[in-house]
């Protein structure tokens, strides 16, 4: 019952916080049998929430021991049959108890369960994987002694992990089976086998995620991808293109460093020009006529006007809490973007219900209990309408800006399109050179 309720709450959180959540390759997760899901860990508690809601099977987690004593959070980790991990960096953690952790994990797998692990051991905002801990390999090899265990690598990618209404992707890679090997007298696998399996996990996770030397390179790859002809528009397809761009750049860094540097400089300049004009690359699309732009802009304005009256009430009611949560998350995170989303979610769980209760109580005192209850129940709906209005308004402003450029500054738009096309042609040429 608690797990069902916690899952429902988690799905609601994801639905509100993210504009789009995608899952690719879920059919690769075995329908039954002992299974270990191994993932990267870029976004605090949002990572297990995504897996919890998207996994085709009920999943359990290894979770750091302090979570089991935190108010509210402990309810979630216990509801999902999580197993505590005792890390040296956690206060009052007795690392000797990790023998119990491994034993419980192996017992759960022996029963045919599915266990999720983040072998980096810590959430982080680095552009590359952190060195993997050996725990995942030790658990897998120990459990495999009584029968094969399937390991399923998966990558989590966020369009902008610390921003409200961004996108998230869970990509499941090819699974593989860990075959039984002899254990020592303490029930532990050989160190050589642990090291080899940990390395295999690292390679698998690197293939399922975006990896770069720095965050600026990842951002530039995202911009370069946005210039290319759109595929199906999914985050999965866009991430695949970014991965290919990063792979080609790595090859060119050795083969043609000057040519790569020239392209990077042109991309950075073009990104700065579009940013100063407050234009997205999609606004340059020459396939959209001015008449189509005008029609889409008018339609967006009409929708915005229709939503405006109730949405403005929701906006006014929720603005204080919303404007409090963002700065609070920024301050508490201390520059660690991997925990900003987590803090924002918990802040919203605290301040938005307090807003509904306070305004509902005020309405009840002023106009009576029925209207007070109605106000409290209506506020979440009005808040959601405010969210839709803001998103529609952003799209409307973007469409108006593109329309104004096409009507008033056609030569400037033509120059931007020409530079975009030249950059796309250069990227295609470099890609062809890499294939030689």
């Amino acid at each position: 019952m608690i797990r069902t309720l916690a899952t429902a709450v988690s799905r609601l959180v994801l639905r509100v916080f993210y504009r789009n959540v995608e899952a690719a390759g879920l059919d690769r997760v075995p329908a039954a049998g002992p299974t270990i899901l191994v993932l990267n860990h870029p976004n605090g508690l949002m990572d297990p929430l995504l897996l919890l809601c998207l996994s085709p099977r009920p999943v359990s987690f290894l979770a750091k021991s302090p979570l089991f004593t935190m108010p509210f959070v402990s309810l979630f980790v216990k509801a999902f049959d999580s197993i505590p991990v005792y890390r040296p960096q956690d206060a009052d953690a007795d690392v000797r108890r990790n023998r119990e952790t491994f034993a419980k994990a192996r017992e759960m797998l022996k029963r045919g369960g599915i266990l999720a692990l983040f072998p980096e051991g810590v959430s982080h905002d680095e552009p590359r994987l952190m060195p993997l801990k050996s725990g995942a390999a030790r658990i897998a090899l120990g459990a495999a002694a009584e029968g094969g265990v399937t390991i399923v690598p998966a990558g989590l990618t966020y369009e902008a992990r610390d921003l409200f209404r961004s996108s998230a992707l869970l990509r499941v890679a090819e699974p593989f089976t860990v075959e039984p090997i002899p254990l020592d007298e303490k029930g532990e696998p050989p160190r050589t086998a642990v090291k080899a399996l940990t390395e295999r996990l690292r390679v698998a996770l690197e293939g399922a995620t975006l990896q770069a030397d720095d965050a600026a390179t990842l951002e530039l790859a995202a911009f370069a991808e946005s210039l290319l002809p759109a595929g199906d528009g999914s985050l999965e397809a866009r991430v695949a293109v970014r991965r290919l761009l990063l792979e080609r750049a790595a090859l060119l860094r050795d083969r043609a460093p000057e040519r790569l540097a020239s392209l990077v400089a042109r991309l950075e300049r073009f990104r700065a020009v579009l940013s100063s004009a407050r234009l997205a690359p999609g606004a340059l699309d020459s396939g959209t006529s001015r008449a189509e732009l005008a029609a889409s802009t008018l339609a967006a304005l009409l929708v915005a006007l229709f939503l405006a009256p109730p949405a403005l009430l929701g906006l006014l009611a929720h603005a204080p809490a919303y404007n409090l949560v963002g700065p609070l998350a920024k301050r508490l995170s201390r520059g660690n973007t991997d925990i900003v989303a987590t803090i924002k979610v918990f802040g919203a769980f605290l301040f938005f219900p307090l807003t509904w209760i306070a305004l509902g109580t005020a309405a009840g005192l002023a106009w009576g209990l029925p209207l007070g209850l109605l106000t409290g129940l209506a506020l979440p709906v009005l808040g959601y309408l405010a969210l839709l209005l803001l998103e529609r308004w952003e799209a409307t402003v973007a469409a108006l800006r593109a329309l104004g450029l096409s009507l008033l500054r056609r030569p400037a738009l033509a120059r931007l399109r020409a530079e975009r096309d030249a950059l796309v042609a250069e990227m295609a040429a470099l890609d062809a050179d890499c294939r030689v």
Side-chain angles (χ1 to χ4, degrees):
M1 176 64 181
I2 297 179
R3 185 183 186 110
T4 302
L5 178 61
T7 302
V9 171
S10 299
R11 285 177 176 156
L12 176 62
V13 167
L14 294 182
R15 177 68 183 88
V16 174
F17 193 88
Y18 294 108
R19 185 176 304 191
N20 182 43
V21 174
E22 297 179 19
L26 288 180
D27 57 324
R28 292 171 173 163
V29 179
T35 304
I36 299 178
L37 275 165
V38 180
L39 305 97
N40 60 320
H41 202 1
N43 204 6
L45 290 178
M46 305 306 287
D47 296 338
L49 281 185
L50 273 168
L51 185 58
L52 166 70
C53 296
L54 297 175
S55 173
R57 291 169 57 186
V59 61
S60 299
F61 297 91
L62 286 190
K64 59 184 181 181
S65 56
L67 295 179
F68 289 78
T69 58
M70 293 175 61
F72 185 71
V73 176
S74 62
L75 296 177
F76 276 79
V77 294
K78 292 175 182 177
F80 303 126
D81 300 322
S82 300
I83 302 171
V85 176
Y86 303 91
R87 308 181 307 171
Q89 63 265 41
D90 296 327
D92 301 324
D94 183 359
V95 296
R96 293 172 297 180
R97 297 190 63 184
N98 281 326
R99 286 189 176 275
E100 301 173 24
T101 298
F102 292 155
K104 289 178 181 178
R106 293 171 181 176
E107 180 60 29
M108 191 272 288
L109 290 169
K110 184 179 178 180
R111 297 195 303 267
I114 180 168
L115 179 66
L117 302 175
F118 299 98
E120 292 171 284
V122 62
S123 173
H124 65 92
D125 54 6
E126 296 298 320
R128 285 196 178 277
L129 290 173
M130 299 286 280
L132 303 191
K133 308 296 183 183
S134 63
R138 290 171 61 193
I139 290 172
L141 291 166
E146 300 187 29
V149 172
T150 301
I151 289 185
V152 183
L156 290 163
T157 303
Y158 297 87
E159 190 75 5
R161 58 185 154 194
D162 57 333
L163 294 184
F164 182 56
R165 302 303 287 173
S166 57
S167 299
L169 168 67
L170 170 67
R171 179 176 178 268
V172 179
E174 286 293 336
F176 60 90
T177 301
V178 178
E179 299 296 342
I181 63 170
L183 305 180
D184 64 18
E185 64 277 4
K186 295 181 180 179
E188 291 292 329
R191 289 185 178 182
T192 53
V194 170
K195 185 176 180 180
L197 182 53
T198 301
E199 175 62 15
R200 186 174 183 182
L201 292 176
R202 183 191 64 79
V203 172
L205 285 179
E206 286 186 346
T209 57
L210 290 174
Q211 303 286 306
D213 292 333
D214 51 63
T217 300
L218 288 177
E219 292 172 1
L220 193 62
F223 175 72
E225 173 267 318
S226 69
L227 299 178
L228 299 173
D232 60 11
S234 68
L235 181 56
E236 179 194 5
R238 285 152 45 209
V239 166
V241 172
R242 293 176 199 177
R243 185 180 295 109
L244 183 62
L245 288 171
L246 290 168
E247 290 172 356
R248 295 292 185 259
L251 288 174
L252 288 167
R253 194 172 292 115
D254 296 327
R255 297 182 183 180
E258 293 181 357
R259 192 175 176 188
L260 176 63
S262 175
L263 175 60
V264 167
R266 287 181 64 188
L267 284 169
E268 289 176 339
R269 286 195 299 270
F270 192 56
R271 181 172 60 171
V273 169
L274 291 185
S275 177
S276 64
R278 293 187 295 173
L279 285 173
L284 305 179
D285 187 6
S286 58
T288 303
S289 68
R290 281 178 287 171
E292 290 172 328
L293 272 174
S296 64
T297 302
L298 179 60
L301 284 171
L302 290 175
V303 172
L305 289 173
F306 176 76
L307 289 175
L312 285 175
L313 290 175
L315 186 62
L316 290 172
H318 293 85
Y322 181 84
N323 290 322
L324 176 62
V325 168
L328 183 64
K330 184 176 181 180
R331 181 174 181 179
L332 294 178
S333 65
R334 298 177 181 177
N336 298 315
T337 58
D338 58 300
I339 61 173
V340 170
T342 301
I343 298 172
K344 285 182 177 180
V345 165
F346 283 110
F349 261 99
L350 174 62
F351 293 117
F352 285 143
L354 286 177
T355 297
W356 304 334
I357 293 170
L359 293 178
T361 301
L365 293 174
W367 303 309
L369 181 60
L371 282 178
L373 290 174
L374 181 61
T375 300
L377 294 173
L379 281 171
V381 178
L382 295 177
Y384 188 68
L385 289 176
L387 178 62
L388 295 179
L389 175 66
L390 289 174
E391 292 183 350
R392 176 58 63 179
W393 179 249
E394 289 175 2
T396 302
V397 170
L400 283 170
R401 196 173 289 119
L403 180 60
L405 194 63
S406 68
L407 291 173
L408 304 176
R409 302 186 62 187
R410 294 181 63 187
L413 180 61
R415 287 195 297 271
L416 291 174
R417 286 173 176 166
E419 178 63 7
R420 187 269 312 272
D421 293 342
L423 285 168
V424 169
E426 178 66 9
M427 285 189 282
L430 288 174
D431 182 57
D433 290 346
C434 285
R435 295 174 186 271
V436 175

